[in-house]
Amino acid sequence: MTLDSIAREIRKDVVRMHRRGSNVGSAMSAVDILTALYFDRMHLPSPDDPARDRFILSKGHAAAALYATLAQKGFIDRSTLTQFLADGSPLMGHPCAGLVPGVELSTGSLGHGLALTVGMALAAAHDDETHRFFVLMGDGELQEGTVWEAAIQAARLGLDSITAVIDANDLQGYGRVGEIQPVETLARRFDAFGWATAEVDGHDLTQLSETFARTPFEPGKPSVLIARTVLGKGVAEMEDRLGWHYFSVPEDKVDAFVSEIDGETP
Ligand SMILES: [Mg+2]
């Protein structure tokens, strides 16, 4: 399968899963980033291979995109995706480590993913392990002070095994990131904190893959990839609309949304 077709399958599963629960727009925003990482960049022979690269979903509310990706990867049974958010299901609204193969850390309390990744990368360096760490953060999440404390430490420690990815869709829970607490000039901010930076179209799989292939961008520095994205990408009704941070997909819209992602006239 091509990366394009994998991303399409993941998007369709994300739509179907969100008959229950919210955050479908946040999940759709991250699908191409996950596809480029899991199916091109990351060394990931199995969920428990000690030498595997690690992925941390700091924006844990996009859990459905991670589960659908793990299903495409074959780490979880795709038929279980229908149990997303069902009572007793391990596929919770935020990922829980130990319950789902391939979930490295329990996340969703925003602002903590990078700090946890710094700790994991420091431990790996101490043990002379060479696997890489990829951590995906939302842009609203960058308003948290812990992110910048972690950024300082990652640079000071020279942790070039870390690549942070910013899913920069300019929306967060209650509005535009640019209006609530702007975190623009992201590349300059990270550069000032001692990181090596790149900026890409977060829905261009070729650009994403080519940029991930260059990580670390500079030896001795952590890398950050600022991915410009669109909330709800793939379904016109959802794209860049704050409401889809919260809405479930109504049953009578599921088929039309899936057809649209397939490129058919709804
Ligand atoms: Mg956002």
Side-chain angles (χ1 to χ4, degrees):
M1 280 172 94
T2 62
L3 292 180
D4 270 326
S5 54
I6 293 169
R8 203 174 302 128
E9 293 307 310
I10 293 171
R11 277 205 164 82
K12 289 190 290 185
D13 280 339
V14 166
V15 164
R16 295 182 186 112
M17 292 163 79
H18 279 94
R19 289 177 165 103
R20 266 192 292 267
S22 55
N23 299 131
V24 61
S26 310
M28 299 282 269
S29 177
V31 167
D32 300 301
I33 295 164
L34 285 162
T35 301
L37 282 174
Y38 275 81
F39 297 91
D40 193 65
R41 177 63 176 93
M42 289 171 70
H43 171 71
L44 205 48
S46 76
D48 52 6
D49 187 311
R52 71 191 183 282
D53 290 337
R54 267 67 162 178
F55 174 79
I56 310 301
L57 183 67
S58 190
K59 53 170 282 184
H61 54 288
L66 177 60
Y67 300 147
T69 301
L70 294 173
Q72 285 294 322
K73 194 78 183 166
F75 290 179
I76 63 174
D77 187 337
R78 191 167 157 260
S79 67
T80 64
L81 296 181
T82 58
Q83 295 303 301
F84 177 58
L85 289 174
D87 282 349
S89 168
L91 302 186
M92 296 194 261
H94 295 81
C96 191
L99 294 184
V100 183
V103 172
E104 301 283 356
L105 275 180
S106 300
T107 51
S109 184
L110 295 171
H112 297 287
L114 182 59
L116 291 163
T117 305
V118 168
M120 292 166 73
L122 183 59
H126 180 267
D127 292 341
D128 294 322
E129 293 169 355
T130 56
H131 48 261
R132 301 200 50 76
F133 296 85
F134 297 90
V135 51
L136 178 61
M137 292 183 280
D139 47 1
E141 182 177 358
L142 299 182
Q143 297 157 352
E144 296 279 358
T146 45
V147 171
W148 300 102
E149 293 174 41
I152 292 168
Q153 284 303 320
R156 184 180 76 86
L157 297 166
L159 294 173
D160 62 5
S161 60
I162 295 178
T163 298
V165 187
I166 313 302
D167 183 348
N169 57 25
D170 192 34
L171 281 169
Q172 63 185 91
Y174 297 103
R176 293 258 166 229
V177 175
E179 292 170 3
I180 292 171
Q181 185 67 276
V183 285
E184 266 312 323
T185 62
L186 278 176
R188 281 169 48 206
R189 288 182 195 225
F190 274 100
D191 178 68
F193 276 69
W195 287 56
T197 68
E199 196 155 351
V200 298
D201 175 343
H203 301 303
D204 182 326
L205 286 160
T206 304
Q207 256 191 59
L208 283 166
S209 292
E210 286 175 359
T211 310
F212 280 132
R214 292 196 289 110
T215 56
F217 301 138
E218 288 181 42
K221 285 187 175 185
S223 304
V224 60
L225 195 158
I226 294 141
R228 298 292 171 189
T229 52
V230 176
L231 184 119
K233 178 68 178 180
V235 174
E237 185 178 328
M238 283 189 207
E239 288 186 358
D240 199 35
R241 302 249 172 98
L242 177 63
W244 287 98
H245 193 98
Y246 295 104
F247 300 156
S248 301
V249 179
E251 188 60 46
D252 63 358
K253 288 193 174 180
V254 172
D255 287 347
F257 285 2
V258 166
S259 297
E260 184 178 344
I261 292 164
D262 261 334
E264 297 161 8
T265 307

